[in-house]
Amino acid sequence: MNIIGRLTRDAQISTLPSDKQVVNFSVAVNDSYRNKQGERVEHTEYFNCAYWISTNVAKALTKGTLVELTGRVSARAWVGGDGEAHAALNFHTSQIKLYGGGKRTETVAGGNSNNSIAPANNGKDDLPF
């Protein structure tokens, strides 16, 4: 599954008791449509994201950055300490493309041997000048 949205906060690196590290961040995905009355309805869905492949990407994942994520989604539901029901969408990210709003346009793909960050346009622009 692919989603495109903006980061709602800077990414954070968490270390598990097993010393495995994960990059956690949140993405807002906007959608709009017209209802039966012809009115435009705006809707935003939020995804809690986890990226396990490399923590190097965390410095590029800053609030407001536009990203395209590839991975799988799962839903989580729980009852809070206040007795209220809660639910969240989790996105287990395997590939990240950064498009803008942050420091630079980059791609991070799972399975790369060096886990480096490379320009999404392979260093070429289509500008005539």
Side-chain angles (χ1 to χ4, degrees):
M1 173 177 201
N2 288 350
I3 61 173
I4 298 174
R6 293 201 179 269
L7 270 73
T8 62
R9 65 177 189 270
D10 291 350
Q12 297 178 343
I13 299 171
S14 300
T15 303
L16 303 177
S18 65
D19 287 334
K20 179 80 174 158
Q21 292 187 313
V22 61
V23 179
N24 294 302
F25 54 99
S26 178
V27 172
V29 177
N30 296 318
D31 188 23
S32 65
Y33 60 92
R34 293 204 181 272
N35 64 15
K36 290 180 181 180
Q37 293 77 26
E39 302 164 328
R40 178 159 301 284
V41 177
E42 301 286 333
H43 178 73
T44 303
E45 197 68 57
Y46 297 92
F47 292 86
N48 295 318
C49 302
Y51 185 71
W52 296 86
I53 298 169
S54 172
T55 59
N56 293 335
V57 70
K59 61 184 169 271
L61 294 174
T62 57
K63 182 177 180 177
T65 301
L66 180 64
V67 294
E68 178 180 351
L69 306 175
T70 301
R72 62 183 173 82
V73 69
S74 64
R76 181 172 59 109
W78 70 96
V79 177
D82 58 1
E84 292 288 320
H86 301 275
L89 292 172
N90 298 312
F91 198 81
H92 305 277
T93 308
S94 59
Q95 184 175 352
I96 301 170
K97 289 183 184 177
L98 298 133
Y99 288 107
K103 296 182 170 98
R104 59 186 189 251
T105 303
E106 303 165 323
T107 298
V108 177
N112 285 352
S113 60
N114 61 5
N115 285 326
S116 63
I117 298 173
N121 64 0
N122 295 325
K124 300 176 187 173
D125 342 344
D126 56 0
L127 299 176
F129 50 89

